[in-house]
Amino acid sequence: MAKIAINIATGTLQKEEIIVGIDLGTTNSLVAIIHPDTKQPIALKDIDNTVLVPSIIHFGDNEQITVGNEARNYLESDPSNTIYSVKRLMGKSYNDVKSKGHSLSYNVIDDDTDRLVKIQVGQKFYSPIELSSLILKELKHRAEHVLKMNISKCVITVPAYFNDAQRQATRDAGKLAGLEVLRIINEPTAASLAYGFGTRNDESSLIAVYDLGGGTFDVSILRITDGIFDVLSTNGDTYLGGDDFDRVLATYFAEKIGLTHEELSIHKSMAQTLRLKAEEAKKQLSTQDQFTFQIDDTELTITKNEFESLIKPLVDKTIDSCANALKDSEISKAEIDVIVMVGGSTRVPYVKQRVSEFFGKPVYDNVNPDEVVALGAAVQADILAGNNKDTLLLDITPLSLGIETMGGLMDVLLPRNSKIPSKAGRQYTTQRDGQSGINIAIYQGERDLVKDNRRLAEFALTGIPAMPAGLPKVDIQFVIDADGILQVKANELRSGVSQSIEVKPQYGLTDAEVESMLMASIVNAKEDIKIRSIIEASTEAEQMIQLTENFMHKHAQHITEEEKSATQSGIVALQQSIEAKDKDQILTATEKLNEVTRPYAERVMDVAIGEALKGSTI
Ligand code: ADP
Ligand code: MG
């Protein structure tokens, strides 16, 4: 494909374009490119010479949104309007996150279901996708400012353990920020690319990537064969990182000046000062043997040795993870060719020393550990741009492939740029009780509503035995073979009924059409995602109304008249909000109905379980 891009804002042609690499991190995010002259990857610097943009968003008065260092200043002073660690929430339901027992200072909507989480800021509700898109938008602006050109294409990295939903959420965030996400790549793969591994076709090697960031740790074992990366195993702890180093250090300082845990929890500003000092001390101790500072007339000193024994239990945990990752990959320590260090916290010499001792080899650490992932993403971007001639380019799907779901939404199974051959599958269920058939309509394209995409085929899976809604398990598999032919199979797992169809997605599709479909998805991203979120909220709300009505009907004798009438008005309000097609209003009304039904739902369930037990003989 020709390397000519159209500037979306102005409609003019742009001679040359740069595809950027983006590390969208839990703590920090950044952008890197391949320097047009030196051909080396470099991280983009801001006017104030900083590379890292803290992944923090602050919502001020009058919807004023700030991202980065400026937003960080509000973490303490305006916690409920300051969002951090949003990456942890990507593609997650409330049930996924609540069990972690880690509270966030902002409001994650608790609707006790498997629906995707939303974050409430004032009267508005945001999805993690929308929040991540704000960070990406900021990165895009900064890059455009520095490079003095339009940026429309990127590669974004995600942890190797991210599932399909989390990857799709990251893609959507990119799209919403006005970026075409050419590819989502694994962070350990990116780090290896930054060191030049896997960019030639003739090598085969085993790489361990150890990534210790601000709040997360993971280690991955990769095998590279002929330029293709395989993640053999990944292990780690999504609640372990440099912030924990700060915490143990702050506690240590507090003890030294005779403050108990209770005193510290009351004395918030002192706790804050100690935490900041702890981070400063930690960083200093990465290059010097001791650190001294004054606090309330007391001089405190911490040596590197003391620091190391404080963090030892934390580092031990990461080493255990390395052992587990090796075990899962069925690779022995000795077989590992290279150990790559990633993440700001691997600057701590003790961390490097322990990892190197464990693997019995020196570690690779000469590329800046907090830039290495973004630099690798830039290398990948350059390969996709066709600039890196030595590298093998695989056949890929030019547009996403998926099926229609409730409300006419496009559910992508094979995202665009998937390797060919490849396959993907997902489970669906029925909406109505006793539903005996399910229609499977296959579409191609990047828009959120199927009506804007290209319809490829449609078939029906019939003969599903009568079951309550939600019980059938319809497994849909997309398999695209080396010739680009797509086979779609639907299989109801409980009954075994199945059906399949074959299509040629590329048939009759020109490059120009692909290009214009991509363009349309970017131009309409904002509106598309808005409509999508309204449809999703309405679908959920309708299901909730249905469930509530069924429940009231079934347990009528255990519910008081007041509860019934409160629920009725809750339902009416929710129905009105659905008609109003306003996402925030629907979510607010859903929350309200939840609050009304929750108290009696629990009580009634207890009674019902009691009755059921009475009637049964054991
Ligand atoms: P993430 O991948 O989670 O976004 P980063 O890779 O940017 O995170 O790592 C951030 C962490 O690195 C923070 O806890 C920060 O304190 C720590 N860090 C940064 N520089 C140093 C240093 N010189 N010594 C020790 N830790 C550091
Ligand atoms: Mg990282």
Side-chain angles (χ1 to χ4, degrees), residues 42 137 176 225 395 463 601:
I42 49 153
K137 233 182 242 173
L176 193 54
T225 341
D395 272 343

mmCIF file of all heavy atoms in Angstrom, residues 42 137 176 225 395 463 601:
data_model
loop_
_atom_site.group_PDB
_atom_site.id
_atom_site.type_symbol
_atom_site.label_atom_id
_atom_site.label_comp_id
_atom_site.label_asym_id
_atom_site.label_seq_id
_atom_site.Cartn_x
_atom_site.Cartn_y
_atom_site.Cartn_z
ATOM 1 N N ILE A 42 13.629 6.373 19.402
ATOM 2 C CA ILE A 42 13.819 7.351 20.474
ATOM 3 C C ILE A 42 12.463 7.662 21.115
ATOM 4 O O ILE A 42 11.430 7.627 20.458
ATOM 5 C CB ILE A 42 14.410 8.706 19.979
ATOM 6 C CG1 ILE A 42 13.622 9.214 18.749
ATOM 7 C CG2 ILE A 42 15.874 8.626 19.687
ATOM 8 C CD1 ILE A 42 13.664 10.712 18.603
ATOM 9 N N LYS A 137 -5.165 10.506 23.872
ATOM 10 C CA LYS A 137 -5.362 11.783 23.189
ATOM 11 C C LYS A 137 -4.262 12.765 23.587
ATOM 12 O O LYS A 137 -3.706 13.470 22.753
ATOM 13 C CB LYS A 137 -6.720 12.355 23.589
ATOM 14 C CG LYS A 137 -7.590 12.714 22.408
ATOM 15 C CD LYS A 137 -8.883 13.326 22.894
ATOM 16 C CE LYS A 137 -10.039 12.464 22.466
ATOM 17 N NZ LYS A 137 -11.317 12.895 23.020
ATOM 18 N N LEU A 176 -10.994 5.847 19.792
ATOM 19 C CA LEU A 176 -11.708 6.984 20.365
ATOM 20 C C LEU A 176 -10.805 8.215 20.470
ATOM 21 O O LEU A 176 -11.267 9.349 20.441
ATOM 22 C CB LEU A 176 -12.234 6.591 21.757
ATOM 23 C CG LEU A 176 -13.253 7.503 22.407
ATOM 24 C CD1 LEU A 176 -14.438 7.735 21.495
ATOM 25 C CD2 LEU A 176 -13.731 6.887 23.720
ATOM 26 N N THR A 225 11.134 -17.607 16.878
ATOM 27 C CA THR A 225 11.578 -18.462 15.779
ATOM 28 C C THR A 225 11.227 -17.735 14.496
ATOM 29 O O THR A 225 10.082 -17.330 14.312
ATOM 30 C CB THR A 225 10.806 -19.815 15.768
ATOM 31 O OG1 THR A 225 10.219 -20.020 17.044
ATOM 32 C CG2 THR A 225 11.693 -20.956 15.395
ATOM 33 N N ASP A 395 1.155 -12.169 6.308
ATOM 34 C CA ASP A 395 -0.150 -11.823 5.771
ATOM 35 C C ASP A 395 -1.078 -11.507 6.924
ATOM 36 O O ASP A 395 -1.081 -12.196 7.929
ATOM 37 C CB ASP A 395 -0.723 -13.016 4.992
ATOM 38 C CG ASP A 395 -0.263 -12.985 3.560
ATOM 39 O OD1 ASP A 395 0.203 -11.919 3.122
ATOM 40 O OD2 ASP A 395 -0.358 -14.029 2.893
ATOM 41 N N GLY A 463 -32.736 -25.522 16.140
ATOM 42 C CA GLY A 463 -32.871 -26.801 16.837
ATOM 43 C C GLY A 463 -32.286 -26.821 18.230
ATOM 44 O O GLY A 463 -31.980 -27.874 18.779
ATOM 45 N N ALA A 601 -33.870 -8.059 47.926
ATOM 46 C CA ALA A 601 -33.446 -9.213 47.135
ATOM 47 C C ALA A 601 -32.682 -10.190 48.027
ATOM 48 O O ALA A 601 -32.938 -11.392 48.024
ATOM 49 C CB ALA A 601 -32.584 -8.771 45.974
#
